[in-house]
Every structure is written in C-alpha cells, then in structure tokens.
Amino acid sequence: MLSIRTFDWSDYDAVVAVWAAAGRAVVPRAELAAKLTRDPELFLVAEDGEVVGVVMGTYDGRRGWILRLAVHPGRRRQGIASALVAELEDRLAELGCPRINLLVMPDNTAGLRFWQELGYLPMPDVLCTKPLAP
Ligand SMILES: CC(C)(COP(=O)(O)OP(=O)(O)OC[C@H]1O[C@@H](n2cnc3c(N)ncnc32)[C@H](O)[C@@H]1OP(=O)(O)O)[C@@H](O)C(=O)NCCC(=O)NCCS
C-alpha cells in the first residue's frame, strides 16, 4: 500500500535512484543536510515497500515552493505524484502558507500538464538567478 511520509536519511540512496531514473538533478548530501535544517517535514517520499517518488517543499514564511518532484518511470500515472503534492499542500497549509510556487522547464510538456491538472497555472515571470561566491 502506498504511503506518503517524511524523508529519513536511510531513504537517501533510494531517493537519488528515483531522481536519476527520472532525469532530475540529484541534491548532494551536504546540500540536503543544509535544507533539512529548515522544514524537514516538507521533504516527502512515497513508498510501497520501496521508495517510488519524492518531492521537496520549502516555506519562506510568505510562499511555499515545490522542488524536485519525481516518480519512478515504472510507476507513473498511478496517482503517486498527486498524492505527494496533496500531502505537501496539507503540510504547507498547516504552516499558514497562502500560496505555492514552482518552476517547470518550458519543454517539460508532461510536467506542465501534470501541474495544470492540479491547478498550478503558468505565470509570465522570468526566473533570474545569480550564484554567490562560496
Ligand atoms: C510529472 C510526474 C511527477 C507525474 O507523476 P505521476 O505520478 O505519473 O502523476 P499522477 O499519476 O499523479 O498524474 C496526475 C494527473 O496529471 C496528468 N499527467 C501526469 N503525467 C502526465 C503526462 N505524462 N502527460 C499528460 N498528463 C499527465 C494526468 O492528468 C494525470 O491523471 P491521469 O493519469 O488520471 O490522466 C512524473 O511524470 C515525473 O516524475 N516526471 C519527471 C520529472 C518531472 O517532470 N517532474 C515535475 C516537473 S517539475
């Protein structure tokens, strides 16, 4: 039976395998450890004997963000991503989050369809970014 639960470090290798199989960039351990100092309850896995999906949420006190959603290619169209996002939305709502943002590559038509199905609508904003010196 599918369960959605908070990430545990013992899940890390399985989560990396799901990200890799889904063609998503892997979050290195050190980066993940830094993220988990905040909102650890917003990093979720879907499991049914093994980890089959993952999603990372953050809340900055004003907006929620959804990052690195992935479902194993062999387990798609079974409602797993929808279940992950529904649980993450519930947890963000409990924190008082009024709105959730996310980024999708423009050529990810399946991803865009998925998000629109769940009510996430495209905005015209352009993402700008700048690395800070270490
Ligand atoms: C996008 C992704 C997370 C969807 O996972 P999933 O578990 O298959 O999604 P769900 O089963 O919950 O799909 C819910 C609905 O979204 C829509 N949807 C999902 N995948 C779709 C696709 N490939 N094409 C069109 N619509 C799709 C459908 O309406 C689907 O309902 P249905 O199966 O009853 O028709 C998965 O395909 C994936 O990991 N892709 C690679 C990584 C990625 O693109 N991540 C998200 C972008 S940031």
Side-chain angles (χ1 to χ4, degrees), residues 5-6 35 41 50 52 86 99 101 104 109 114-115 119 124:
R5 60 168 176 80
T6 303
K35 180 271 178 289
E41 76 279 20
E50 59 183 347
V52 293
R99 179 174 284 276
N101 295 336
V104 190
T109 49
F114 168 78
W115 288 118

Side-chain angles (χ1 to χ4, degrees), residues 17-73:
V18 171
W19 276 330
R24 312 243 40 203
V26 168
V27 180
R29 278 182 187 269
E31 200 178 307
L32 185 55
K35 180 271 178 289
L36 292 176
T37 63
R38 298 178 57 164
D39 311 320
E41 76 279 20
L42 300 182
F43 187 22
L44 306 179
V45 296
E47 178 188 37
D48 63 358
E50 59 183 347
V51 172
V52 293
V54 57
V55 68
M56 182 184 286
T58 66
Y59 182 47
D60 62 16
R62 183 168 170 272
R63 295 285 181 260
W65 286 86
I66 297 181
L67 305 148
R68 305 294 169 103
L69 172 68
V71 170
H72 192 280

Side-chain angles (χ1 to χ4, degrees), residues 22-24 66-73 75-83 102-105 108-115 117-118:
R24 312 243 40 203
I66 297 181
L67 305 148
R68 305 294 169 103
L69 172 68
V71 170
H72 192 280
R75 297 299 306 275
R76 291 184 185 162
R77 305 305 285 265
Q78 298 172 25
I80 294 172
S82 300
L102 55 89
L103 298 167
V104 190
M105 297 301 282
N108 186 353
T109 49
L112 282 165
R113 279 210 182 154
F114 168 78
W115 288 118
E117 186 68 22
L118 268 61

